Amino acid sequence: MVVYILLTIILIYCFIVTPYVTNHKNDNALYKKMNDMHESCIYGCSSCNTYNSMTGGRGSNYFIESKSDVNNTKSKCLTTVWNLSHLFLYAIIGYIYPDPVSLVSWFSVGVSFEIWEKYAYNCEDPLDVVYNGLGLIIGSYYKSLR
């Protein structure tokens, strides 16, 4: 039940709130703050060239205002807020559904969602699949400790 509530909230956020932010980014200070959060880099290296190969698969709409990134620093961001949201959501799912069949099923859902993001919105990030898998492993591991 908890997972379904979380997924409903996430879907509302992804399909209603985020598009509204994108279309009205200059209208409201709250949406400006949300946009800044979406574009924040949790972990990156502005001088590391190896990140380009790891983040090069991100869609052109991954960051809402990606055209404003003159120095290309966002492409060198290894961990974004979006990545962390994937990690935390999938850790919760892995904790609630730790059996191997469920883990594979949820991982497949994550892969499918990234494919859909690519073709529907061009906002995919292949690293999200990695963070999904890590989250599932972390969640199921913590469940096994109980």
Side-chain angles (χ1 to χ4, degrees):
M1 181 69 168
V2 173
V3 172
Y4 296 118
I5 293 171
L6 280 172
L7 288 176
T8 301
I9 291 169
I10 289 166
L11 290 174
I12 289 170
Y13 187 79
C14 289
F15 295 116
I16 297 172
V17 176
T18 301
Y20 187 84
V21 169
T22 303
N23 294 327
H24 298 90
K25 59 185 169 233
N26 297 322
D27 295 348
N28 190 314
L30 172 64
Y31 297 112
K32 171 81 170 106
K33 288 179 183 178
M34 289 174 64
N35 181 52
D36 291 344
M37 179 193 69
H38 289 175
E39 294 187 355
S40 62
C41 182
I42 304 300
Y43 179 75
C45 179
S46 60
S47 63
C48 300
N49 292 326
T50 57
Y51 289 121
N52 286 335
S53 62
M54 297 178 78
T55 62
R58 287 184 179 149
S60 61
N61 293 327
Y62 182 76
F63 292 109
I64 295 172
E65 294 181 5
S66 59
K67 294 179 181 95
S68 66
D69 188 22
V70 180
N71 296 324
N72 201 25
T73 55
K74 292 177 187 169
S75 66
K76 296 184 182 196
C77 183
L78 186 60
T79 305
T80 66
V81 170
W82 288 114
N83 297 138
L84 283 183
S85 70
H86 281 254
L87 180 73
F88 290 132
L89 172 65
Y90 278 79
I92 292 168
I93 292 170
Y95 185 82
I96 294 172
Y97 302 107
D99 63 283
V101 173
S102 294
L103 294 176
V104 170
S105 297
W106 281 107
F107 186 77
S108 298
V109 167
V111 170
S112 299
F113 203 83
E114 287 304 312
I115 292 168
W116 177 77
E117 286 177 353
K118 177 179 179 64
Y119 292 107
Y121 297 107
N122 199 23
C123 65
E124 76 283 357
D125 182 2
L127 285 176
D128 284 345
V129 175
V130 174
Y131 285 103
N132 294 350
L134 286 173
L136 290 170
I137 291 167
I138 290 168
S140 63
Y141 172 75
Y142 277 108
K143 182 68 171 202
S144 71
L145 295 177
R146 293 189 82 210

